Amino acid sequence: MAKNVTLEQDLNDQQQRRREKLDLYREMGIDPFGCRYDVNSSSLELKSTYSYLKAEECDENTLVKIAGRIVLLRKMGKASFITLQDRYGKIQCYIRQDVVGEDNYRVFKLADLGDICAVEGYMMKTKTGEITIRANRYVHLTKALRPLPDKFHGLQDPEDRRRKRYVDLIVNDDSREVAFMRPKIIRGIQNFMDKENFVEVETSILQPILGGANARPFITHHNALEQDFYLRIATELSLKRLIVGGMDRVYEIGRMFRNEGIDTTHNPEFTTMEAYQAFGDLSSMADLTERLIRYLAKNITRKSKIKWLGNEIDLDKPFKHATMNDLVKEKTGIDFKEVDTFERAKELAIEHHIEVENHFKWGHILNAFFEKYVEETLIQPTFVYGHPLDVSPLARKSADPRYTERFELFISTKEICNAFTELNDPLDQRERFEAQVLEKNNGNEEACEVDDDFIEALEYGLPPTGGIGYGIDRMIMMLLEKDSIRDVLLFPTLKRR
């Protein structure tokens, strides 16, 4: 206990010493929290441009100006080394009093780890072959009043890293890489979809009707309208209205909100991409998906063989296609095509210790068998087809009306996307919505409501359409080989301490 108190006191002492330096900067006429500075290069560019230098050689033709955070500091009398970190990486700087002058060196001597500064000088290569800036001038920009975490132990606790992402990004290279790779992947998705002639759109986050998926919503209130709204759980119904309107191919990448649990693959606010293609169907969506994932692996992460959730995944091989019914039969011996009543399905569920909830129908039980016996076995990319009608209120019926034209893609046991041949029969859609209301009345809190405006839109005519929704966070987890969604979100939702 005494040791912890001492460490806390040491930290307070460091903070106090840093604050005391603020007046010293001001006495020198320097704003301790700086002002604008124009850089003309980056750590990455300098290392690339001056790699040709020989040991102890200096290029004095071009004055370079770079700014960043001090992450390594070695003060050695009248000559010192610092390592600056900018958004592209780290670079060493060599600062000598006889070069920068006594006054400027005195400013530098006030520097602490974590301070933000700029260095101006010429490029050189040290005896050991390290590309280095030989400083002509040191420029103080911002005083860090808190010390960085210990360089040997860093910020190791996962929860601390997520709560203090700003520190995590400073001290953990892996977190910085993810932070910069995520927008590259999203930009890659946009580039791919644009080339496929899809139009990116934006739809409303506030929704008057709960629909587009089965999920518990967040509810908010609009004071001026005196009306409750839901934060959207999906963009499906809005985007299909645009297909009715003749936009033909649309997609949206945006935030969704579901008032549900938090675990390694779920966060209450998350990002999806939904896409809809007029005159397409389920096979159109499968082809689009396989090409999209390979495009991202080849062009963005440049890695098609990955290790995710402890499994080796090969994204180059053709994705497997299988029906839910066949996969359940393979694992349990039960062929649900021959289970023709809810009563028999319920008997089988009880025999296999599957809870049958009040709102369950025949299809819910088949889906429950799949979730219990099959999901955890789907390692290599697998399109699972033939979901039952009872759990697919927005998908077109198959030839066997108990099933729908729907697939989910599973990789390393996790669902990556969900696709339909879209239901475009307004009469059938109303019946499905009304069945959902009955489910809600029987205790299914995730069931959706009747959206009369959407049904009216269908009555104007929705062309045969393929549609799909991707979990962008999970896709990024997979491509970057991260096992927790919290590691690909800059600010995940966490329980208040």
Side-chain angles (χ1 to χ4, degrees):
M1 184 69 182
K3 184 177 180 181
N4 289 336
V5 171
T6 302
L7 287 172
E8 183 176 349
Q9 184 62 48
D10 287 344
L11 180 61
N12 290 337
D13 288 345
Q14 288 186 53
Q15 291 173 340
Q16 184 59 40
R17 285 196 296 271
R18 289 173 181 239
R19 282 162 174 74
E20 289 170 355
K21 290 181 180 181
L22 299 180
D23 288 336
L24 298 178
Y25 282 111
R26 293 185 178 108
E27 289 172 6
M28 297 177 180
I30 297 170
D31 183 347
F33 299 105
C35 57
R36 168 178 170 166
Y37 182 84
D38 294 323
V39 301
N40 66 7
S41 194
S42 69
S43 60
L44 180 65
E45 183 181 354
L46 292 176
K47 287 182 177 180
S48 173
T49 302
Y50 293 95
S51 60
Y52 70 88
L53 290 174
K54 297 177 182 177
E56 299 188 274
E57 183 181 2
C58 182
D59 184 318
E60 297 186 349
N61 295 315
T62 304
L63 183 72
V64 302
K65 297 181 178 183
I66 188 171
R69 188 181 297 273
I70 301 174
V71 293
L72 187 63
L73 178 59
R74 288 183 289 160
K75 296 178 181 176
M76 302 179 295
K78 296 181 179 181
S80 302
F81 285 93
I82 64 172
T83 298
L84 283 191
Q85 177 173 281
D86 63 9
R87 64 173 289 185
Y88 301 100
K90 300 180 178 72
I91 193 162
Q92 180 173 267
C93 306
Y94 179 45
I95 304 174
R96 288 178 46 163
Q97 179 176 301
D98 62 350
V99 176
V100 301
E102 290 186 14
D103 290 344
N104 192 231
Y105 200 72
R106 192 163 68 250
V107 175
F108 162 71
K109 294 288 278 187
L110 294 176
D112 290 300
L113 276 177
D115 286 2
I116 298 171
C117 70
V119 171
E120 301 173 7
Y122 298 103
M123 300 308 301
M124 60 173 283
K125 184 176 282 188
T126 64
K127 288 182 181 180
T128 57
E130 184 166 357
I131 299 295
T132 300
I133 302 172
R134 190 190 70 188
N136 282 14
R137 180 174 175 239
Y138 172 86
V139 182
H140 171 82
L141 294 176
T142 301
K143 191 66 187 174
L145 298 183
R146 286 182 179 267
L148 294 176
D150 178 88
K151 67 177 181 179
F152 295 109
H153 300 100
L155 194 66
Q156 297 296 327
D157 182 76
E159 184 167 339
D160 280 345
R161 292 177 65 174
R162 293 155 186 161
R163 289 186 186 277
K164 300 180 180 180
R165 187 67 82 193
Y166 43 90
V167 181
D168 183 33
L169 293 173
I170 295 170
V171 300
N172 290 311
D173 291 341
D174 183 60
S175 295
R176 289 166 61 81
E177 182 180 0
V178 171
F180 285 113
M181 281 300 298
R182 180 186 174 104
K184 288 181 181 179
I185 291 171
I186 291 175
R187 185 60 55 83
I189 293 170
Q190 292 170 316
N191 290 339
F192 176 87
M193 296 300 288
D194 291 347
K195 290 175 183 176
E196 294 288 322
N197 203 28
F198 282 79
V199 178
E200 185 173 15
V201 298
E202 294 178 300
T203 62
S204 299
I205 289 175
L206 294 178
Q207 299 284 338
I209 299 291
L210 183 65
N214 290 88
R216 294 179 64 181
F218 288 95
I219 303 173
T220 188
H221 185 77
H222 190 287
N223 293 331
L225 294 177
E226 296 185 353
Q227 179 180 343
D228 284 344
F229 285 85
Y230 301 106
L231 299 185
R232 66 184 180 191
I233 59 173
T235 53
E236 177 164 347
L237 301 187
S238 296
L239 294 176
K240 286 199 283 194
R241 286 175 170 91
L242 300 180
I243 299 296
V244 171
M247 293 189 73
D248 280 3
R249 293 189 179 204
V250 296
Y251 76 97
E252 180 172 9
I253 298 174
R255 287 289 205 187
M256 305 301 136
F257 306 86
R258 298 186 181 180
N259 198 351
E260 300 170 349
I262 299 174
D263 59 30
T264 56
T265 57
H266 293 87
N267 194 68
E269 58 172 312
F270 58 99
T271 302
T272 69
M273 178 180 77
E274 291 196 39
Y276 294 86
Q277 178 180 334
F279 316 112
D281 64 2
L282 204 59
S283 62
S284 309
M285 297 300 100
D287 174 66
L288 182 80
T289 298
E290 202 159 344
R291 289 188 293 109
L292 170 61
I293 291 175
R294 288 211 182 93
Y295 173 87
L296 296 173
K298 179 181 178 181
N299 295 284
I300 309 300
T301 62
R302 304 188 188 283
K303 193 173 184 181
S304 59
K305 292 179 175 59
I306 59 174
K307 185 172 184 179
W308 186 38
L309 300 171
N311 299 305
E312 302 286 343
I313 309 296
D314 188 347
L315 300 176
D316 275 335
K317 291 183 178 179
F319 292 5
K320 180 181 177 180
H321 294 241
T323 68
M324 181 181 288
N325 194 84
D326 288 345
L327 291 169
V328 169
K329 181 179 178 181
E330 180 183 311
K331 296 299 179 184
T332 67
I334 300 170
D335 186 350
F336 268 81
K337 288 183 178 178
E338 298 177 358
V339 179
D340 53 8
T341 66
F342 169 73
E343 289 71 23
R344 178 56 183 151
K346 184 175 180 180
E347 289 175 3
L348 291 168
I350 293 170
E351 289 174 13
H352 289 78
H353 308 289
I354 291 174
E355 181 183 357
V356 179
E357 299 181 32
N358 288 338
H359 66 275
F360 270 22
K361 298 178 182 177
W362 176 89
H364 293 93
I365 295 175
L366 169 56
N367 190 64
F369 267 88
F370 171 78
E371 290 177 348
K372 180 173 182 178
Y373 290 102
V374 179
E375 274 193 14
E376 292 301 313
T377 70
L378 300 175
I379 305 301
Q380 297 305 317
T382 304
F383 289 113
V384 178
Y385 287 83
H387 292 61
L389 176 70
D390 297 325
V391 297
S392 310
L394 296 164
R396 181 193 287 263
K397 290 178 183 176
S398 299
D400 181 337
R402 296 182 299 173
Y403 299 92
T404 60
E405 294 186 25
R406 174 185 175 189
F407 73 67
E408 293 174 293
L409 173 65
F410 287 85
I411 300 178
S412 198
T413 77
K414 302 301 179 184
E415 178 199 342
I416 301 297
C417 61
N418 183 25
F420 305 152
T421 297
E422 299 299 332
L423 175 59
N424 63 347
D425 178 343
L427 304 180
D428 189 0
Q429 183 64 80
R430 179 173 289 281
E431 290 179 5
R432 307 268 196 104
F433 278 154
E434 291 172 350
Q436 286 281 295
V437 172
L438 290 176
E439 281 194 29
K440 187 179 285 288
N441 293 337
N442 286 327
N444 184 2
E445 296 180 343
E446 296 185 351
C448 60
E449 301 173 348
V450 176
D451 189 333
D452 290 311
D453 181 79
F454 177 68
I455 294 170
E456 182 177 330
L458 293 184
E459 290 175 351
Y460 282 95
L462 174 71
T465 298
I468 192 163
Y470 299 88
I472 295 297
D473 305 305
R474 288 191 192 177
M475 188 180 292
I476 292 171
M477 285 172 61
M478 174 194 69
L479 291 167
L480 299 183
E481 303 174 294
K482 298 299 175 185
D483 292 350
S484 173
I485 193 172
R486 300 181 188 97
D487 292 330
V488 300
L489 299 175
L490 287 174
F491 300 104
T493 303
L494 299 169
K495 186 176 182 180
R496 183 181 298 173
R497 279 179 167 169

